[in-house]
């Protein structure tokens, strides 16, 4: 497994493999790997000859009062974990190489960014789409694999690829959960163990809502009220949003149907922001 830090060297590596007829699958990450990340790497290895993992904590997608400085990092551990998978190269640039002096270009998806996380994190998705666009141009993958936990991000990346005619297949991979149901996230490492039950309010909210929908309750106003009460039962949990949205447009849904996704964002103890989501009706509901 090669570790490459320079964008030009990464691009040259990919071009050489392309000329030899190899297909490349890219897994974009911000590091601090867990089983969710490793599952993305395995999926990329299933569909491509070579897997490239990017590891870059992208400063442009963090707001001034967010957790850029506290975002967990452990490069040596990440390399050990990636080395156990079928990863051909890790692209780990520094911010000054990705955003050199004079950098002033942004890639923005307008409407989809004005929902869910985009409402409370202005500028976040411009940072995401800009850096992902750069990664696509540097690595030149045939396929890119993203986790479905960041549901809005996945929808935005798919829109960007379609709108800009970027010839890359985007694969969404199902959420990987810990044994107690908590969606795996690098930020879970920042959770106080005493707040674990509060963090589980997201996954239990999904389970509760699916049960209510199966019982015939499909009015999202009613479901929203019940979910707020469920989450607020934990004093350290603060709701960012509880939203019922269309799976493609992210427009708010008045009633639940097969296209409806419940998307959740909750801050635990005012410090750790967690997200989760899921379809509410079969065949998509898990």
């Amino acid at each position: 497994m090669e570790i490459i830090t320079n964008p030009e060297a990464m691009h040259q590596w990919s071009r050489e493999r392309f000329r030899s007829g190899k297909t490349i699958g890219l897994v974009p990450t911000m590091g601090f790997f867990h089983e969710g990340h490793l599952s993305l790497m395995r999926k990329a290895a299933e569909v491509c000859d070579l897997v490239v993992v990017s590891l870059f904590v992208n400063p442009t997608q963090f707001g001034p009062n967010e957790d850029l400085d506290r975002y967990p990092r452990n490069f040596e551990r990440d390399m050990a974990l990636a080395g156990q998978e079928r990863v051909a190269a890790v692209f780990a640039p520094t911010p000054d190489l990705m955003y050199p002096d004079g950098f002033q270009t942004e890639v923005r998806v307008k409407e989809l960014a004005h929902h869910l996380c985009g409402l409370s994190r202005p500028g976040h998705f411009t940072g995401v789409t800009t850096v992902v666009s750069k990664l696509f141009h540097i690595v030149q993958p045939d396929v890119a694999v993203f986790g479905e936990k960041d549901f809005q991000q996945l929808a935005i990346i798919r829109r960007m690829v379609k709108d800009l005619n970027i010839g890359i297949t985007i694969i969404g991979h199902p959420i990987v959960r810990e044994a107690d149901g908590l969606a795996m996230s690098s930020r879970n490492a920042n959770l106080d163990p005493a707040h674990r039950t509060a963090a589980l309010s997201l996954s239990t909210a999904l389970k509760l809502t699916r049960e209510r929908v199966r019982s015939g309750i499909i009015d999202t106003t009613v479901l929203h009220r019940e979910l707020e009460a469920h989450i607020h039962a934990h004093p350290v949990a603060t709701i960012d949003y509880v939203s019922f949205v269309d799976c493609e447009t992210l427009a708010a849904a008045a009633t639940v149907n097969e296209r409806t996704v419940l998307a959740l964002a909750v801050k635990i103890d005012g410090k750790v922001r967690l997200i989760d989501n899921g379809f509410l009706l079969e065949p998509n509901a898990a």
Side-chain angles (χ1 to χ4, degrees), residues 105-245:
T105 301
E106 293 181 340
V107 178
R108 183 167 61 97
V109 175
K110 293 186 291 185
E111 293 181 12
L112 288 179
H114 292 157
H115 299 275
L116 304 177
C117 292
L119 295 176
S120 59
R121 304 184 71 188
H124 168 69
F125 285 114
T126 297
V128 169
T129 46
T130 299
V131 76
V132 170
S133 178
K134 284 178 67 68
L135 291 171
F136 286 173
H137 283 88
I138 292 166
V139 179
Q140 298 282 298
D142 300 275
V143 171
V145 185
F146 292 84
E148 292 178 352
K149 181 173 70 69
D150 295 308
F151 189 84
Q152 184 177 16
Q153 172 180 277
L154 179 57
I156 287 173
I157 295 302
R158 283 177 166 151
R159 185 79 253 175
M160 178 185 77
V161 166
K162 182 177 181 179
D163 288 352
L164 299 183
N165 302 103
I166 301 174
I168 297 173
T169 299
I170 304 298
I171 295 177
H173 195 273
I175 295 172
V176 177
R177 298 184 179 277
E178 299 188 26
D180 58 7
L182 184 65
M184 287 193 173
S185 169
S186 298
R187 288 184 169 93
N188 291 352
N190 291 333
L191 278 172
D192 185 319
H195 298 153
R196 183 77 178 196
T197 302
L200 288 172
S201 65
L202 285 85
S203 58
T204 56
L206 275 166
K207 181 179 178 181
L208 171 66
T209 306
R210 285 170 176 154
E211 291 173 352
R212 295 292 282 155
V213 170
R214 282 195 291 268
S215 75
I217 308 299
I218 62 171
D219 184 328
T220 59
T221 300
V222 173
L223 295 169
H224 189 283
R225 186 165 55 245
E226 293 178 354
L227 284 180
E228 282 197 334
H230 175 78
I231 295 170
H232 283 153
H234 305 277
V236 298
T238 304
I239 294 173
D240 184 346
Y241 60 77
V242 170
S243 299
F244 297 83
V245 300

Side-chain angles (χ1 to χ4, degrees), residues 82-95:
Q84 296 172 19
E85 304 297 331
R86 290 170 51 196
V87 174
V90 173
F91 176 47
T94 55

Side-chain angles (χ1 to χ4, degrees), residues 40-63:
L40 303 182
M41 299 175 200
R42 292 170 198 144
K43 182 62 181 179
E46 287 178 12
V47 297
C48 291
D49 299 317
L50 302 170
V51 176
V52 174
V53 175
S54 64
L55 194 166
F56 181 60
V57 181
N58 177 35
T60 67
Q61 68 189 67
F62 288 81

